[in-house]
Amino acid sequence: MKIAALLIVLMFLLLVPCLAEEEIVEFEPVVSFSAEELIAQAPGIEEQMTFDSVFDWDPRVDEQYVTWTQYEGQGKVWYYDMKSGNRQMVANIMSDQNNPDISGGIIVWDDNRHKNSDIYSYNIPMHKESPVYVDTTNKFRPAVSQDMVVFEDFGNDDIRDIGMVKVGTSARPVYINPNDKDKANPDIDGDWIVYQQLDDNKNDWNIYLYNYKTDKTVQVTRDLRIQQNPRISGDYVVWEDNRNGKWDIFMYNIKKDMTTAVTFDDYDDVEPAVSGSKIVWTRYDQENNSDIYMVNLQIPKTYAVCVGPGNQIRPDIYGDKVVWQDDRFGGWDIFIYTLEPDTPFTPYQFYGPVTFNYLPAPVGTEIIAKIDGVTKDSIVTTQEGYYGGAGGFADQLTVKINQADIGRQISFWSGGIQGAPSVTVSGDGKMMEQPLNFVYAQPLPDLLFYGSVTIDGQPAAKGTVLKAMIDGVVRGSYEITQTGQYGGEYETDPALRVPITVDDIGKHITFMEGEYAAGQTFQITSGGRFRQDLTFTTIPPMSPYEFYGYVQIDGKSAPVGTTIQAKIDNTVVTTYVTRYAGSYGAPGQAPDDPRLIVPVTEADAGKTISFWIGTIRAGATQVITRGGERIIRKDLDFGSSPQPGINADFTASPRSGPAPLTVQFTDLSTGGPTMWFWDFGDGVIPANATCSGTDCHNIANPIHTYAREGTYTVTLIASNQYGASDTEVKTGYITVGQITPGIQADFTASPRSGSKPLTVQFTDLSTGGPTMWAWNFGDGTTEGLLANPTHTYVNDGTFTVTLTASNQFGASDTEVKSGYISVGGSPQPVDSITIYPGWNFISVPKKLAPGKDTAAIFSHIQVDGHSIFQYDAVTGQWITMTSSSPIKPLDAVWIYSRVADKVSLTYDSDPLQTPPTKELRKGWNAIGFTGLEPLEAKFTLLSVQDKWVNCLGFNEEKQQYDQMIIKGRNDDARLYPYSGYWLFMSDNGTLAAISA
């Protein structure tokens, strides 16, 4: 089994970021998975989305739609509406269309209809195709976020640049950091654009971020190995990373300025995509088989989304939807997986006796509950030999679980030793008494301590509690009854008692008062009574601050050798000389550029650290606190004069009216703007006398005339001579002419079936004031005038009907009803089930045709008076079937026959079937097998992988049950078409078909 040998380590670590010349990384895993364990199947439902004989690939998904390329000689972009079930080709023209992306119902792709590769868009809700950017260069790999598009542009210099342009405008694109270096594979989300750049023009691809609102560039990686194929969602950037000699998935958190290794194992992990806290990617195993995996950063937990059969590649994710291309049936198809939220379960709450070496555990003993090495809860004993208690007013060791924990072990630990027994998670937990025993080595005589106690130089007060700890585990405690003293030197005196074993020899005892450790420890050599004076300091020394970051003088990088002074109360505390131009220090555990270190004392708390170059003070400061971060990025800007900020704003009058509409715009920006750039939303530069040439960079209050009807978004970018700028965007600010009402096409028909000739009355149900109707009745006949036409079908068959409704404002919508009209006789049988003498446990592998999908198909079987049965797991009862009882995929049937026979099957020919599902209940269920080829149980039952336990088939020829299939033991045994199976479930679940 592919996933049985996985070794995945999810890393969270701070890497040397963009300023470092070379990265040296120490990985510190926080979540690891053993080589023997199985990665949990992500809870959810898998569906096959395309079923054709051509190649479907490169899927992308947003909140409502899936888009992909269908290839048959040329690429064609398609989309699927997950709400309505409608699927449609975007542009059915002679051109090669590839690399689609989608956001908010807007699809973009590269298209060679004009020989060069250009960027086009299609607005699904508006049914409108538009060119995004067309010229003489080649553009590829567009990405879209709402209405902003980025793409690769091979300019005339054969250098790839990243262009950016808004959909629906005729403005030329803006290019991001144009230089002599290749840039590729852009992605965009919100204001941030991510791309890869070839820094040495050979193989040194690095990841960069660019914020088009703030004009800020961040170099995410600086490594001589390849980093490529970045994707972005919110604050997370993911990419493929080769720095460890193989491909891993890495992640960068924009807000935290922190890089994370998402995978770090022996496999190649590529093609990442991210949405919120979920990351999906393709994994190639040692045999070069590829599967889809996902990590949920909130847990964090790694899941298998789809592990065979066949190969799965190029995943994408949005919210709870994962899509990928899949060749399990020979060609490439598109599959979609709907993730289920983690199911809330009742937690386990433990309490009961606890012993060490079968002796009562001392008060103060910490007991930890873990699942797969992850700590779930801990409790400290307050009563010797007992932890927690029953009832709502007592504490318990509480273990919260989720769906992925089912079947795993809850283990109990104390002092690094695992106790017995462990508890298997089987579903909802409960409050339960759970005795625990921790087996240590042979016990030795107890250690008994006494002596003086001072806290911050003063005798400890009565009631002070002392604790003795070994390896972080409390072994004994003592409450002081005499000021400044604990215990006594004589055998009859009380003492701080510490039980020990032979395994404790050589270890040290740490003495604690609250969270503070004494300045003294005790090394164990034997048992006995010892004087041990203890001193505690509760005011810890303050750690120094360590600073790093950018450093500029008058907006330019500070040169090498610049001297920076850190002052407290105008007193120089530290002097630092820069080693690199434009930066000082670096993050990480061992930075190659030492940080600016500022020592502080308790007396400095509340004061401010300021930074100086000569007499010029940086704007950035640091308030000294007793706690908090000590390694801090602090970018320093030393300017000779203040640089006032800009706050862009404007108004306009009038804001609505008929076309042509002339509007006076008035700048309201603050901060002393000296330059203005206006985008009026219609792609036209104003032609009034106040404009200069073909631009409006210097006009505060322009006049603009809108020539066409529509709703327009207006943008103003205001800036000043100091380089400060701000952008104000007012969406839908200007309305010209009448707003176009939308159309929602719909219709009904009567009758929908009958013998030929069949006359059908169609009735329009469209909303939005349609004035024109275009009907296609599916038999080669159309109608273009009537809202409610009558049509006669003269040939047998099943017909798909299409209505396109539109109005005088240009709005239109199309409704397609597949297989809507049935005329004449039924389709002919195409398959059969072999029936053996005696009892048969059978199922149908695919959906049957209407009229051929009831138990009437068994009417010819000689049942010898026996009933035909199905088992209802919901009620736990057998159901006697009649001739009208439906026969569906995933349902199993018991039928008796006196002789050998066959049952003919006629399958539904509708090409747009939705794969069926079946709700299963905890306990035994009777299920059918879908598909026409045998398949291993572990793959057939993938949709209930975390819940099924046993599977049992029946051999009709031998009239006996087959060998039991047990999950994790022999689940590579195959299940077969036309057969029924008993399936035992540990909990309720939904079984998904592997074929429609």
Side-chain angles (χ1 to χ4, degrees):
M1 190 174 189
K2 296 180 186 177
I3 58 178
L6 290 178
L7 177 59
I8 298 179
V9 181
L10 176 63
M11 310 286 186
F12 284 86
L13 63 154
L14 183 64
L15 301 183
V16 181
C18 55
L19 296 178
E21 290 298 327
E22 183 177 351
E23 294 178 326
I24 302 175
V25 181
E26 294 293 336
F27 291 102
E28 299 177 359
V30 299
V31 177
S32 58
F33 303 91
S34 72
E36 290 76 20
E37 77 162 321
L38 303 181
I39 301 301
Q41 173 68 31
I45 300 296
E46 180 187 272
E47 300 176 70
Q48 184 176 354
M49 208 175 66
T50 63
F51 301 86
D52 43 57
S53 60
V54 297
F55 292 120
D56 300 292
W57 52 38
D58 289 340
R60 290 293 177 95
V61 61
D62 71 358
E63 64 269 22
Q64 183 174 345
Y65 304 98
V66 180
T67 184
W68 69 94
T69 299
Q70 184 180 94
Y71 186 82
E72 190 175 17
Q74 285 186 324
K76 294 292 182 285
V77 175
W78 284 68
Y79 74 87
Y80 171 72
D81 188 333
M82 291 180 282
K83 291 185 178 179
S84 69
N86 180 43
R87 67 184 66 207
Q88 183 173 317
M89 185 187 298
V90 171
N92 188 11
I93 64 173
M94 290 296 293
S95 68
D96 201 14
Q97 305 155 18
N98 292 288
N99 300 312
D101 193 25
I102 188 166
S103 174
I106 297 176
I107 304 173
V108 295
W109 68 93
D110 53 60
D111 191 308
N112 72 350
R113 67 183 69 179
H114 300 300
K115 295 185 179 180
N116 294 314
S117 180
D118 298 309
I119 308 300
Y120 279 78
S121 73
Y122 183 80
N123 188 312
I124 299 175
M126 297 178 63
H127 307 285
K128 181 181 179 181
E129 180 190 283
S130 303
V132 176
Y133 184 47
V134 176
D135 74 348
T136 58
T137 62
N138 285 307
K139 283 76 63 183
F140 299 101
R141 298 183 184 86
V144 60
S145 177
Q146 299 304 319
D147 60 351
M148 188 64 74
V149 181
V150 293
F151 53 88
E152 294 181 12
D153 192 334
F154 277 82
N156 296 324
D157 56 359
D158 203 29
I159 295 293
R160 281 180 288 180
D161 287 309
I162 304 301
M164 172 182 65
V165 68
K166 186 178 292 187
V167 174
T169 69
S170 60
R172 293 186 62 81
V174 175
Y175 289 92
I176 299 169
N177 298 327
N179 52 32
D180 61 348
K181 300 186 184 302
D182 258 336
K183 303 176 183 66
N185 291 323
D187 195 22
I188 181 171
D189 188 54
D191 302 343
W192 285 100
I193 299 168
V194 65
Y195 58 94
Q196 64 190 69
Q197 178 172 293
L198 188 59
D199 284 335
D200 66 352
N201 289 322
K202 294 179 181 178
N203 284 310
D204 184 18
W205 287 102
N206 281 296
I207 307 301
Y208 286 77
L209 275 167
Y210 175 75
N211 189 301
Y212 68 82
K213 289 287 184 66
T214 64
D215 197 31
K216 177 182 179 181
T217 300
V218 177
Q219 184 172 354
V220 176
T221 67
R222 185 184 293 274
D223 190 274
L224 296 180
R225 297 294 185 103
I226 300 173
Q227 288 83 39
Q228 65 183 17
N229 293 330
R231 298 291 298 278
I232 185 171
S233 174
D235 292 327
Y236 294 119
V237 178
V238 296
W239 66 90
E240 302 171 10
D241 200 301
N242 194 242
R243 71 182 67 187
N244 300 307
K246 44 168 292 303
W247 291 110
D248 288 305
I249 307 302
F250 273 60
M251 177 187 74
Y252 175 73
N253 187 311
I254 298 174
K255 282 188 177 179
K256 295 183 179 180
D257 188 24
M258 183 174 73
T259 301
T260 302
V262 178
T263 67
F264 190 63
D265 48 46
D266 296 330
Y267 302 93
D268 277 326
D269 300 296
V270 295
E271 300 170 344
V274 58
S275 177
S277 63
K278 298 181 179 70
I279 301 171
V280 296
W281 69 92
T282 302
R283 156 157 293 167
Y284 286 87
D285 64 16
Q286 311 291 9
E287 288 77 35
N288 209 35
N289 299 311
S290 55
D291 304 303
I292 306 301
Y293 285 83
M294 179 187 77
V295 65
N296 187 338
L297 300 174
Q298 290 183 337
I299 299 180
K301 192 79 173 181
T302 301
Y303 295 98
V305 177
C306 185
V307 181
N311 291 289
Q312 294 77 40
I313 61 174
R314 299 179 183 173
D316 193 31
I317 184 170
Y318 186 95
D320 64 347
K321 305 294 184 185
V322 181
V323 296
W324 65 89
Q325 68 183 65
D326 193 306
D327 73 348
R328 69 180 70 178
F329 299 121
W332 288 111
D333 291 304
I334 306 301
F335 279 68
I336 185 169
Y337 198 89
T338 302
L339 299 167
E340 294 179 0
D342 285 338
T343 306
F345 289 88
T346 302
Y348 286 78
Q349 296 175 282
F350 300 104
Y351 64 93
V354 55
T355 56
F356 289 167
N357 282 338
Y358 308 101
L359 298 175
V363 173
T365 298
E366 183 182 36
I367 301 171
I368 299 171
K370 299 181 179 182
I371 296 180
D372 289 343
V374 178
T375 297
K376 294 292 186 177
D377 193 23
S378 64
I379 192 170
V380 176
T381 59
T382 58
Q383 177 183 348
E384 186 178 50
Y386 210 87
Y387 72 101
F393 296 100
D395 288 334
Q396 292 89 33
L397 186 60
T398 300
V399 179
K400 296 180 180 179
I401 60 172
N402 55 42
Q403 184 69 47
D405 294 323
I406 302 299
R408 301 181 185 273
Q409 295 284 317
I410 302 174
S411 57
F412 303 90
W413 298 78
S414 184
I417 302 297
Q418 182 174 348
S422 297
V423 175
T424 300
V425 179
S426 59
D428 283 332
K430 62 182 180 179
M431 186 178 295
M432 57 190 293
E433 184 178 80
Q434 180 62 60
L436 299 174
N437 181 50
F438 297 87
V439 179
Y440 285 79
Q442 179 67 33
L444 296 175
D446 292 346
L447 282 168
L448 303 167
F449 294 102
Y450 67 95
S452 63
V453 186
T454 60
I455 301 176
D456 295 332
Q458 301 297 319
K462 293 181 182 179
T464 299
V465 176
L466 305 177
K467 295 179 181 179
M469 303 181 70
I470 301 175
D471 292 337
V473 177
V474 175
R475 294 287 188 93
S477 64
Y478 184 92
E479 183 175 345
I480 294 176
T481 58
Q482 181 181 355
T483 301
Q485 296 290 326
Y486 74 105
E489 61 180 312
Y490 301 109
E491 290 186 5
T492 56
D493 290 337
L496 173 55
R497 182 180 298 270
V498 181
I500 59 173
T501 71
V502 294
D503 278 355
D504 294 323
I505 299 297
K507 295 182 179 179
H508 286 79
I509 297 176
T510 302
F511 301 92
M512 304 293 296
E513 188 280 313
E515 60 181 292
Y516 300 102
Q520 301 77 28
T521 60
F522 181 89
Q523 186 171 21
I524 302 170
T525 57
S526 65
R529 185 179 292 263
F530 298 90
R531 180 182 179 96
Q532 181 66 63
D533 296 333
L534 303 174
T535 58
F536 294 91
T537 301
T538 63
I539 304 177
M542 294 179 65
S543 300
Y545 283 90
E546 300 182 40
F547 297 103
Y548 69 97
Y550 294 113
V551 55
Q552 294 185 325
I553 301 175
D554 287 334
K556 298 181 180 179
S557 295
V560 175
T562 298
T563 299
I564 304 172
Q565 292 179 328
K567 297 182 180 181
I568 302 175
D569 286 343
N570 289 322
T571 299
V572 176
V573 178
T574 301
T575 298
Y576 182 96
V577 178
T578 61
R579 298 172 59 190
Y580 299 97
S583 69
Y584 71 106
Q589 298 300 316
D592 63 340
D593 188 8
R595 291 183 280 267
L596 191 161
I597 299 176
V598 180
V600 291
T601 66
E602 183 68 25
D604 293 325
K607 296 180 180 180
T608 299
I609 301 172
S610 58
F611 303 89
W612 299 75
I613 294 179
T615 59
I616 303 174
R617 174 174 170 167
T621 60
Q622 176 66 45
V623 176
I624 300 169
T625 60
R626 292 184 173 85
E629 294 290 332
R630 279 318 199 239
I631 299 178
I632 299 173
R633 175 172 173 168
K634 187 74 67 174
D635 294 336
L636 304 179
D637 191 354
F638 297 90
S640 57
S641 60
Q643 299 180 0
I646 290 287
N647 187 15
D649 194 11
F650 63 90
T651 187
S653 180
R655 290 181 51 198
S656 62
L661 180 66
T662 299
V663 181
Q664 171 69 63
F665 291 90
T666 303
D667 175 47
L668 301 178
S669 304
T670 60
T674 57
M675 292 176 286
W676 303 264
F677 176 79
W678 295 86
D679 182 344
F680 300 111
D682 59 354
V684 178
I685 298 297
N688 65 323
T690 57
C691 287
S692 173
T694 59
D695 62 47
C696 275
H697 285 277
N698 59 339
I699 308 304
N701 306 306
I703 297 172
H704 179 65
T705 299
Y706 291 89
R708 295 182 296 273
E709 293 184 348
T711 301
Y712 299 97
T713 295
V714 181
T715 303
L716 167 63
I717 302 175
S719 55
N720 62 21
Q721 68 268 34
Y722 302 107
S725 68
D726 187 40
T727 301
E728 176 69 12
V729 179
K730 297 191 177 184
T731 304
Y733 192 57
I734 303 296
T735 302
V736 182
Q738 185 176 1
I739 302 302
T740 302
I743 288 286
Q744 182 70 42
D746 194 12
F747 63 89
T748 186
S750 180
R752 289 180 52 197
S753 62
S755 58
K756 66 180 181 182
L758 180 66
T759 299
V760 180
Q761 174 66 59
F762 291 91
T763 303
D764 175 47
L765 301 177
S766 305
T767 59
T771 57
M772 292 172 284
W773 302 264
W775 294 88
N776 186 326
F777 300 114
D779 61 351
T781 306
T782 60
E783 165 62 51
L785 296 175
L786 301 178
N788 306 306
T790 299
H791 179 67
T792 299
Y793 291 89
V794 296
N795 296 315
D796 289 342
T798 301
F799 301 96
T800 294
V801 182
T802 303
L803 168 63
T804 300
S806 55
N807 62 21
Q808 69 269 34
F809 303 107
S812 67
D813 186 41
T814 299
E815 175 69 10
V816 179
K817 297 191 177 183
S818 300
Y820 193 56
I821 304 296
S822 297
V823 182
S826 303
Q828 298 301 307
V830 296
D831 203 354
S832 63
I833 302 176
T834 299
I835 301 295
Y836 293 91
W839 283 105
N840 294 260
F841 196 19
I842 61 174
S843 65
V844 296
K846 300 175 64 177
K847 183 180 179 183
L848 300 179
K852 302 290 185 179
D853 57 352
T854 68
I857 63 176
F858 303 128
S859 59
H860 64 287
I861 300 296
Q862 300 178 43
V863 298
D864 272 5
H866 294 283
S867 296
I868 303 174
F869 296 104
Q870 283 187 327
Y871 180 75
D872 185 352
V874 176
T875 63
Q877 302 294 320
W878 289 96
I879 299 174
T880 301
M881 305 186 72
T882 67
S883 61
S884 62
S885 298
I887 302 296
K888 299 181 293 184
L890 296 179
D891 288 345
V893 175
W894 281 99
I895 184 170
Y896 183 90
S897 179
R898 183 167 61 87
V899 297
D901 209 334
K902 288 185 179 292
V903 175
S904 296
L905 302 179
T906 306
Y907 297 134
D908 192 344
S909 60
D910 185 356
L912 299 179
Q913 297 177 39
T914 300
T917 60
K918 181 180 178 69
E919 295 301 319
L920 305 183
R921 293 294 182 267
K922 183 177 180 179
W924 287 107
N925 297 258
I927 67 167
F929 179 89
T930 56
L932 298 175
E933 297 293 334
L935 186 65
E936 292 90 339
K938 60 188 177 184
F939 298 128
T940 305
L941 305 173
L942 203 58
S943 57
V944 290
Q945 180 184 9
D946 56 340
K947 296 172 183 172
W948 79 274
V949 180
N950 301 317
C951 183
L952 183 63
F954 184 75
N955 188 315
E956 288 82 4
E957 289 187 88
K958 297 181 180 179
Q959 290 291 291
Q960 66 183 33
Y961 280 104
D962 297 324
Q963 179 183 358
M964 180 80 74
I965 299 174
I966 302 172
K967 184 176 73 172
R969 181 180 300 175
N970 61 335
D971 53 3
D972 56 350
R974 292 188 173 188
L975 305 188
Y976 291 88
Y978 317 109
S979 296
Y981 293 89
W982 288 108
L983 184 69
F984 188 85
M985 300 281 290
S986 63
D987 201 355
N988 297 344
T990 301
L991 178 64
I994 58 173
S995 172

